[in-house]
Amino acid sequence: MGQKTHPIAFRLAAKGTNLDWNSKWFSDKKEYSRLLMEDIKIRRFLEERLKTAGLVSIRIERINKKLRIVLIVSRPGLVIGRGGKGLEELKKSLLKIISLENGEKNLELEVEEFKNPDLSARIVAQRIATQLEKRMPARRVVTKAIERVMSAGATGVKVVLSGRINGAEIGRTEKFFAGRVSLSSLRSDIDYAEIPALTRSGYVGVKVYINRGEK
C-alpha cells in the first residue's frame, strides 16, 4: 500500500515552510478538552454561516482571557455588512455558543480578504461539491474547475473524487490532473481541502490539491 501523508500536516511538521497553525493557544490538561471542543463548535458554526462569503480559512488565537478570530474570505463585504452591522451580529451569535468572560470586550473578530478565490482549494472543492449535489456531470464539473484554477496562475492542480460518481452502482475513485503537483517537495506551496458532497446516491468525497508555486 502507498503511504499517504496529509500535505498540510506534512508541511506544518517541517521547519522552514511558509505554513502556520490555524489554532494558537496553550492550556493545562483540565481546560484542553473544553477549549478544543469550543474551537470545533466555532469552526462548524462559521463554515455554515459564511458559505456564501467564500470562506478560505479560520484562525483562532487565545491570549490570556482574550479570544481572537481571523476570518479569511473572498467576499469580505458580505461578512462586515453595512457599517459593520454584519460583523456585530456575527459576534453576538458567537457569544451564544462559547463561554468567554466579558465576551463583548474579550472577543475580537477580524476579516481579511483573499483576493484570488480560484487559488483556494477550499473554495474550489466547495464549488465542485455543490455542483455534484445538483446532479451535474462530474467530469465536466471538474474539468471546468481545473481550467479556472490553471488560468488563475496555479502551477498545478489535482482533484480526486471517491464514491458513487454520477450515481454509479459501484463506488470508485477518479483522479484528474493538470500541471505539476509535487506533494513531497517542501518548497511547493500546496493548498489542500476535502469536502463531502451529499448526492442522491450517497456521499462523494472531493479532494483538491493546488500548487501555487515554490516559496
Side-chain angles (χ1 to χ4, degrees):
M1 292 180 64
Q3 302 300 313
K4 308 298 187 296
T5 303
H6 194 289
I8 304 298
F10 175 55
R11 283 160 176 77
L12 281 172
K15 294 182 179 180
T17 60
N18 62 319
L19 290 180
D20 202 357
W21 297 92
N22 282 330
S23 287
K24 283 185 173 182
W25 48 268
F26 178 82
S27 74
D28 54 22
K29 291 183 179 179
K30 294 180 180 179
E31 288 293 305
Y32 179 80
S33 59
R34 183 184 67 82
L35 294 177
L36 180 61
M37 286 305 300
E38 197 168 85
D39 275 19
I40 294 172
K41 284 182 182 179
I42 291 170
R43 292 184 186 281
R44 285 178 177 172
F45 170 77
L46 292 173
E47 285 168 4
E48 184 64 30
R49 181 77 173 261
L50 303 178
K51 271 185 178 179
T52 57
L55 182 64
V56 176
S57 66
I58 304 166
R59 292 205 302 263
I60 299 175
E61 298 177 8
R62 298 176 189 269
I63 304 172
N64 296 329
K65 294 182 179 180
K66 290 189 176 182
L67 174 61
R68 180 171 175 260
I69 301 175
V70 181
L71 306 172
I72 302 174
V73 295
S74 61
R75 299 176 182 175
L78 294 179
V79 182
I80 299 170
R82 287 189 178 182
K85 288 183 179 179
L87 206 60
E88 287 298 322
E89 290 178 4
L90 187 61
K91 188 174 182 178
K92 290 178 182 178
S93 300
L94 279 170
L95 289 173
K96 293 178 182 178
I97 64 172
I98 61 175
S99 56
L100 187 65
E101 186 180 342
N102 197 3
E104 288 289 338
K105 183 180 179 182
N106 291 330
L107 177 60
E108 296 180 8
L109 281 180
E110 294 183 18
V111 180
E112 294 182 6
E113 182 181 6
F114 191 86
K115 294 183 179 179
N116 198 339
D118 288 324
L119 291 179
S120 167
R122 181 179 182 81
I123 292 178
V124 174
Q126 186 67 61
R127 193 181 295 155
I128 293 172
T130 301
Q131 292 175 336
L132 291 179
E133 289 172 352
K134 294 179 180 177
R135 304 182 71 185
M136 295 180 67
R139 185 171 292 274
R140 186 192 305 171
V141 168
V142 174
T143 302
K144 286 186 178 180
I146 288 176
E147 288 175 357
R148 292 184 64 171
V149 172
M150 294 302 291
S151 63
T155 306
V157 58
K158 173 183 174 183
V159 178
V160 182
L161 301 181
S162 298
R164 294 179 61 184
I165 303 167
N166 291 330
E169 291 186 3
I170 300 175
R172 65 182 187 274
T173 298
E174 289 191 10
K175 299 179 181 180
F176 304 84
F177 297 88
R180 184 173 59 87
V181 182
S182 178
L183 301 180
S184 59
S185 174
L186 291 173
R187 292 179 298 178
S188 299
D189 181 14
I190 304 293
D191 192 22
Y192 169 79
E194 52 185 55
I195 300 286
L198 181 56
T199 66
R200 291 192 177 186
S201 305
Y203 277 105
V204 174
V206 181
K207 294 181 179 180
V208 176
Y209 306 75
I210 298 177
N211 185 357
R212 298 190 288 210
E214 291 188 357
K215 288 189 179 180

